Amino acid sequence: MNATTTAVVAEQFDDIQQQHSAAKLGMWIFLATEVMFFGGLFLAYTVYRFTYGHVFALASRHLDDVFGGANTAVLLFSSLLMALAVRAAELDRRKQLVRLLLATALFGILFMTIKGFEYRKDFVEHLVPRFDFRWDGSDAANAELFFWIYFALTGLHAIHVTVGIALILVLALLARAGKFSPNFMPVEITGLYWHFVDIIWVFLFPLLYLAGHR
Amino acid sequence: MTTSLPKLYWKTFIALMALLAITWSVGYIDLGPFKLVFALAIAMAKAVLIMLFFMHIRGGSKLLHFVAVAGVLWLLILLSLVLGDYVTR
Amino acid sequence: MNTSSNATTTIVRHSGAYALDNYLTAGQGVKSWLLTTDHKRIGILYLWTILVFFLIAAVAAALMRIELLTPAGDLISSETYNKLFTVHGVLMVWFFLIPSIPAVLGNFVIPMMIGARDVAFPRLNLFSWYLFVAAGALALWSLIHGGVDTGWTFYTPYSTTYANSHVISMAAGIFVAGFSSIITGINFIVTIHKMRAPGLRWFRLPLFIWALYATSLILVLATPVLAITLALMSVERLWGVGIFDPKLGGDPILFQHLFWFYSHPAVYIMILPGMGVISELITCFSRKRIFGYAWVGCSSMAIAVLGFIVWGHHMFVSSQSIYAGMIFSLLSFLVAVPSGVKVFNWTATLYKGSITFQTPMLYALGFIGLFTIGGLTGLCVATLAVDVHVHDTYFVIAHFHYIMVGGMVMAFMGGLHYWWPKITGRLYPEFWGKLAAMITFIGFNLTFFPQFLLGYLGMPRRYHAYPPEFQMLNVLSTAGASILGVGYVLPLIYFLWSLKRGRLAGPNPWRATGLEWQTSSPPPVHNFEATPIATASPYLYDAEADRDLHMANA
């Protein structure tokens, strides 16, 4: 091994290609575990929608699809920015990379802000389970169950978004210091994570917001 | 390749926004039991677009394709066998 | 022959009996261990950690067995008894068995077996050990503050609503331990895919690697489901309402589905690595190539995949639909096929081999017998109608202890004896090793065989008192447990003794063929002086290669 490669290639690897493909594979496997992690909640949703389909459709209509839809667009756009950022990292365009990463994080923060307003609205409308939950009509218990699942799914997703924003901001700092000029893999695998978070939301939007006829 | 990649990303994004518009507006039409099928089909299409182009599954190794499919497949095992129980109770 | 000459040159280079320049001497002091990223040292860190949990869980088991000496509940109260079996189950499953072979032996030998310098992500590997320690601390915190009485299964609504114990901290411990498992699994899968030495194609990999690859698949795909399930259960307990809550129309059976979607595959996390070890031991000590290599390797993958579609057999007497029960019963029988393939192939490997009965081989032979009993009684309890009779009795207890203790712990002990010279550079005393193996075998059978009878006669599990007619068999079982205890304490003593006093082992005391035996004992920090090249199948045990290797050693 010569001096320039040892700086980049960890000692357990033979070359940078091996290191890259190992990192990518590791991240993809992690995302598969994340699918199963969300899977428990998706299962609960599936089973109860099957059992209490009518109530779920009614309850779904109490969610504000403008918030949900706008947030879908926001996350999709941040995913686009992330993809462009990975490209910039690969081409070693440092300034562009920093700007794109910051923009990605900004849209992540915008997502969380919208989500925050939406949670506030849910709270005001007494849709938070066990927290002065109110429901006009029969099947109040099953409706409460729907909102429990809604908060669990979107809450878990929000935790993932928050982690993603933090990671991307750290990446932006490191990028400004020029840490990725020979090895852009951290940007790429964080990107994979960010796109995954986007994909989860792509499923949450129709399942939670559009379950009932509007 | 260098100049066309960002273009591809933008095209993907536009396709994703179009699919979002479709799924959102179809939410206002009563499709009965096909509502869920339709919503899931569009979500699946969006997920595939994101994986293919943003996450570079296209051009990735067979192994990565396999891992991506495995995650979904195992989720389907969980969903289908449990739902099998509830449907036949 | 190509490989043997290759092996010869490697061995000559490290002909010294004890390599002075090795991973143990590479750094001194506590800091060099706590900050290590060397997979070999991390394996040893895991060994010490799981030893602590094994001892605590064993004490819990001992107390239960002593209580069960007499029909009356006279030594400990029923509440304490509930906490004891919970602690025993939780610690043995998540803090001993699941990390035992994968995290200790797997960490130590996987990179060496595939000719790599380390695992793919060494720092993550260390991080997963720290997660494991943190998880253990949470579990111990729960234990010290009064323990948990839900059983290791945490069934709702008892765990969410009624249990008056430290459920959340224990669940949090298991949650964190789960992430430690996931990281280990990811690390192993990536390592096996990306770090193999040149020429080491998939069908040249040792069967231990196949087994741990299959195990890692389960770790990665099943563990997150447990994590979310325990998290949902804990939130429900904290928040007062949740998705398993019947008040909201929630279904506690959904919890059981989620729990067993993880916990049945977890049974295979607890046996597949053992099968991998046995495949190594049987070939080495009968000096014969494994019979049907590809079948044994692929059967590991088949067990891992089939293991995911059988979980409903734990729920035959719940309100699961009868049709689901029938499907799950049928699917469960399928697992017997790849398991049978393994037992048949091990037996066929023994046939006409030149067998020697060193300690690891004794454990391996014990494994085959005990696993077969455990597996066949598994078919009994997978049968819908029979399970209705024996569900929640000692028959089930005996069945899974034959798999987990008779299977996995025997395999772990066998593997530990087999690789001990590689780990430490020194041999354990063979006489005491053989004695301990035989004591373990006798003690184990005396402990758990009576439990089959007890269960069949109808003694339910999880009771601290029982009708007097069950006393005879319970006394036998407790007597067996004390013998089993001796069988476990002996190795602890002589392993520690051998660290300083054991005979020097040399690079390859068993004249085994795996790549891990082609480097010095203890191995250097990066395992090999030069990256080895694989040119043939891993089990070239035949007379010719044997003689070459023997001459090279002499």
Side-chain angles (χ1 to χ4, degrees):
Chain A
M1 272 191 250
N2 60 48
T4 49
T5 53
T6 43
V8 189
V9 182
E11 57 191 5
Q12 70 274 20
F13 294 110
D14 292 333
D15 51 41
I16 193 81
Q17 280 79 18
Q18 191 189 23
Q19 184 171 341
H20 277 188
S21 66
K24 253 195 265 183
L25 177 60
M27 193 63 199
W28 273 98
I29 298 171
F30 176 72
L31 296 184
T33 71
E34 285 275 36
V35 170
M36 298 307 288
F37 191 63
F38 277 93
L41 274 168
F42 279 120
L43 175 67
Y45 175 89
T46 310
V47 163
Y48 293 135
R49 178 162 176 179
F50 170 76
T51 318
Y52 309 117
H54 177 64
V55 189
F56 266 43
L58 283 177
S60 165
R61 286 167 65 179
H62 280 71
L63 293 175
D64 194 330
D65 62 334
V66 176
F67 280 123
N71 255 347
T72 313
V74 167
L75 265 197
L76 287 175
F77 188 65
S78 83
S79 244
L80 168 70
L81 293 173
M82 190 71 218
L84 293 171
V86 172
R87 185 72 189 146
E90 197 176 2
L91 298 175
D92 202 7
R93 294 176 182 159
R94 196 189 297 181
K95 263 191 189 158
Q96 194 188 8
L97 171 62
V98 174
R99 263 185 253 142
L100 281 167
L101 285 173
L102 287 177
T104 310
L106 197 70
F107 274 83
I109 292 166
L110 180 60
F111 174 91
M112 290 301 290
T113 313
I114 294 175
K115 195 77 221 151
F117 279 111
E118 190 188 352
Y119 278 157
R120 209 192 66 150
K121 183 166 178 265
D122 297 334
F123 179 77
V124 171
E125 291 177 2
H126 300 285
L127 296 176
V128 184
R130 199 170 175 260
F131 218 80
D132 198 15
F133 182 82
R134 285 187 211 157
W135 184 256
D136 306 326
S138 56
D139 304 319
N142 299 343
E144 201 172 348
L145 189 63
F146 172 84
F147 284 102
W148 208 97
I149 293 174
Y150 158 76
F151 277 105
L153 271 168
T154 54
L156 189 63
H157 179 262
I159 293 171
H160 280 76
V161 174
T162 312
V163 170
I165 293 169
L167 286 174
I168 290 166
L169 288 176
V170 171
L171 283 185
L173 274 178
L174 293 175
R176 209 177 60 159
K179 287 277 194 262
F180 302 127
S181 41
N183 180 12
F184 68 100
M185 225 359 92
V187 184
E188 169 142 9
I189 61 171
T190 311
L192 289 177
Y193 172 83
W194 191 249
H195 299 310
F196 166 80
V197 172
D198 191 10
I199 289 177
I200 290 290
W201 185 261
V202 158
F203 282 90
L204 291 189
F205 174 59
L207 289 179
L208 293 174
Y209 293 81
L210 305 177
H213 172 55
R214 283 184 180 276
Chain B
M1 197 67 186
T2 315
T3 46
S4 70
L5 250 182
K7 232 182 224 169
L8 179 69
Y9 294 153
W10 278 100
K11 277 185 194 158
T12 310
F13 174 69
I14 290 163
L16 287 168
M17 292 304 281
L19 285 170
L20 168 63
I22 293 171
T23 196
W24 201 347
S25 44
V26 167
Y28 286 84
I29 303 167
D30 193 0
L31 288 175
F34 291 102
K35 193 175 188 73
L36 180 65
V37 178
F38 194 79
L40 282 178
I42 290 196
M44 208 62 213
K46 281 203 250 175
V48 167
L49 281 180
I50 294 172
M51 285 200 279
L52 277 180
F53 300 114
F54 286 172
M55 298 170 87
H56 305 134
I57 262 286
R58 196 191 63 150
S61 65
K62 273 221 179 76
L63 181 59
L64 292 188
H65 292 212
F66 180 78
V67 176
V69 171
V72 179
L73 194 68
W74 254 256
L75 181 61
L76 287 179
I77 292 176
L78 174 67
L79 296 181
S80 56
L81 279 172
V82 175
L83 209 57
D85 169 23
Y86 282 86
V87 173
T88 55
R89 278 211 193 147
Chain C
M1 282 196 59
N2 217 344
T3 357
S4 54
S5 66
N6 207 339
T8 312
T9 50
T10 329
I11 283 162
V12 169
R13 228 190 295 145
H14 312 285
S15 57
Y18 187 90
L20 288 174
D21 195 13
N22 63 52
Y23 77 101
L24 292 168
T25 56
Q28 300 289 336
V30 177
K31 209 177 138 196
S32 78
W33 280 87
L34 293 183
L35 296 178
T36 184
T37 52
D38 185 336
H39 66 97
K40 301 183 284 300
R41 284 188 168 211
I42 292 170
I44 292 173
L45 289 175
Y46 269 111
L47 179 61
W48 284 107
T49 322
I50 65 167
L51 179 64
V52 172
F53 293 115
F54 177 79
L55 290 176
I56 298 171
V59 168
L63 286 172
M64 282 191 284
R65 280 315 328 162
I66 293 169
E67 164 60 51
L68 292 172
L69 267 176
T70 58
D74 37 17
L75 178 68
I76 40 187
S77 67
S78 53
E79 286 84 7
T80 314
Y81 189 83
N82 291 349
K83 288 175 177 175
L84 284 175
F85 69 64
T86 305
V87 158
H88 176 73
V90 167
L91 292 189
M92 281 296 193
V93 169
W94 284 295
F95 293 93
F96 174 70
L97 282 169
I98 284 180
S100 63
I101 292 182
V104 177
L105 298 176
N107 253 325
F108 198 93
V109 296
I110 283 179
M112 276 194 274
M113 274 186 160
I114 63 171
R117 286 184 286 277
D118 207 320
V119 292
F121 311 117
R123 269 181 298 177
L124 266 183
N125 202 15
L126 180 66
F127 177 63
S128 90
W129 178 74
Y130 275 104
L131 277 183
F132 184 65
V133 172
L138 278 167
L140 288 181
W141 189 92
S142 163
L143 182 61
I144 290 165
H145 284 75
V148 180
D149 63 349
T150 61
W152 77 288
T153 47
F154 293 100
Y155 273 13
T156 56
Y158 184 71
S159 58
T160 49
T161 313
Y162 304 106
N164 232 341
S165 50
H166 294 79
V167 174
I168 292 176
S169 51
M170 190 61 96
I174 297 165
F175 184 91
V176 177
F179 279 93
S180 166
S181 293
I182 289 172
I183 293 175
T184 303
I186 293 176
N187 225 332
F188 285 174
I189 294 178
V190 176
T191 306
I192 294 167
H193 269 290
K194 299 290 178 187
M195 315 284 284
R196 300 194 306 275
L200 202 51
R201 297 197 297 259
W202 280 90
F203 284 94
R204 282 180 188 168
L205 286 173
L207 291 165
F208 183 66
I209 301 286
W210 276 97
L212 276 176
Y213 184 84
T215 308
S216 303
L217 281 184
I218 305 175
L219 284 172
V220 160
L221 289 168
T223 317
V225 178
L226 175 77
I228 191 70
T229 309
L230 291 180
L232 288 171
M233 183 271 287
S234 299
V235 172
E236 181 166 339
R237 191 179 162 87
L238 269 177
W239 195 248
V241 291
I243 58 166
F244 307 121
D245 190 346
K247 276 203 304 279
L248 302 190
D251 186 6
I253 301 299
L254 181 64
F255 174 87
Q256 297 185 22
H257 272 302
L258 283 164
F259 180 82
W260 289 112
F261 179 86
Y262 163 79
S263 290
H264 193 75
V267 170
Y268 300 114
I269 301 175
M270 293 182 256
I271 191 66
L272 274 170
M275 294 169 156
V277 169
I278 299 309
S279 302
E280 299 293 316
L281 301 186
I282 292 290
T283 50
C284 177
F285 293 97
S286 32
R287 315 307 302 164
K288 241 184 99 192
R289 294 183 194 202
I290 190 100
F291 182 85
Y293 167 88
W295 285 89
V296 181
C298 294
S299 65
S300 289
M301 300 300 289
I303 290 173
V305 173
L306 289 175
F308 274 99
I309 53 175
V310 302
W311 78 83
H313 64 216
H314 293 270
M315 300 161 61
F316 285 160
V317 299
S318 72
S319 59
Q320 177 183 240
S321 94
I322 186 68
Y323 301 102
M326 279 150 62
I327 298 286
F328 278 123
S329 178
L330 189 72
L331 291 171
S332 303
F333 294 147
L334 292 181
V335 185
V337 177
S339 310
V341 164
K342 281 195 194 286
V343 174
F344 281 124
N345 284 13
W346 291 326
T347 316
T349 308
L350 290 172
Y351 178 68
K352 284 192 172 173
S354 52
I355 299 170
T356 49
F357 294 99
Q358 276 106 323
T359 311
M361 186 60 160
L362 292 183
Y363 280 111
L365 294 173
F367 173 100
I368 296 179
L370 299 179
F371 172 74
T372 305
I373 295 176
L376 289 175
T377 51
L379 285 175
C380 301
V381 289
T383 311
L384 196 46
V386 178
D387 187 64
V388 173
H389 176 67
V390 295
H391 185 89
D392 263 349
T393 69
Y394 268 84
F395 191 88
V396 176
I397 302 284
H399 153 67
F400 74 71
H401 279 88
Y402 264 78
I403 301 286
M404 292 183 181
V405 186
M408 187 69 160
V409 181
M410 292 288 264
F412 178 63
M413 293 303 282
L416 197 58
H417 282 82
Y418 180 64
W419 282 299
W420 189 255
K422 185 52 65 183
I423 296 171
T424 64
R426 289 174 188 273
L427 286 162
Y428 58 86
E430 191 61 43
F431 169 79
W432 292 102
K434 283 181 186 163
L435 187 68
M438 284 187 284
I439 291 175
T440 306
F441 184 79
I442 294 165
F444 173 82
N445 280 298
L446 192 55
T447 312
F448 291 104
F449 199 80
Q451 297 187 3
F452 277 127
L453 306 177
L454 279 172
Y456 197 74
L457 294 172
M459 178 165 166
R461 63 194 285 195
R462 296 181 168 178
Y463 278 77
H464 79 315
Y466 54 84
E469 67 256 34
F470 295 135
Q471 187 173 15
M472 186 61 210
L473 288 166
N474 268 305
V475 169
L476 276 179
S477 182
T478 302
S482 45
I483 297 174
L484 189 59
V486 174
Y488 290 144
V489 170
L490 265 183
L492 186 63
I493 296 169
Y494 64 68
F495 273 143
L496 288 174
W497 174 88
S498 77
L499 286 177
K500 287 270 178 250
R501 306 282 183 86
R503 209 153 48 79
L504 294 181
N508 190 357
W510 312 117
R511 294 182 294 131
T513 54
L515 285 180
E516 79 270 28
W517 300 106
Q518 293 188 17
T519 187
S520 51
S521 303
V525 175
H526 288 306
N527 299 342
F528 299 95
E529 303 275 313
T531 305
I533 296 167
T535 50
S537 87
Y539 301 112
L540 287 174
Y541 290 107
D542 56 24
E544 203 185 338
D546 231 20
R547 202 167 45 240
D548 284 358
L549 220 72
H550 190 59
M551 280 160 63
N553 273 345

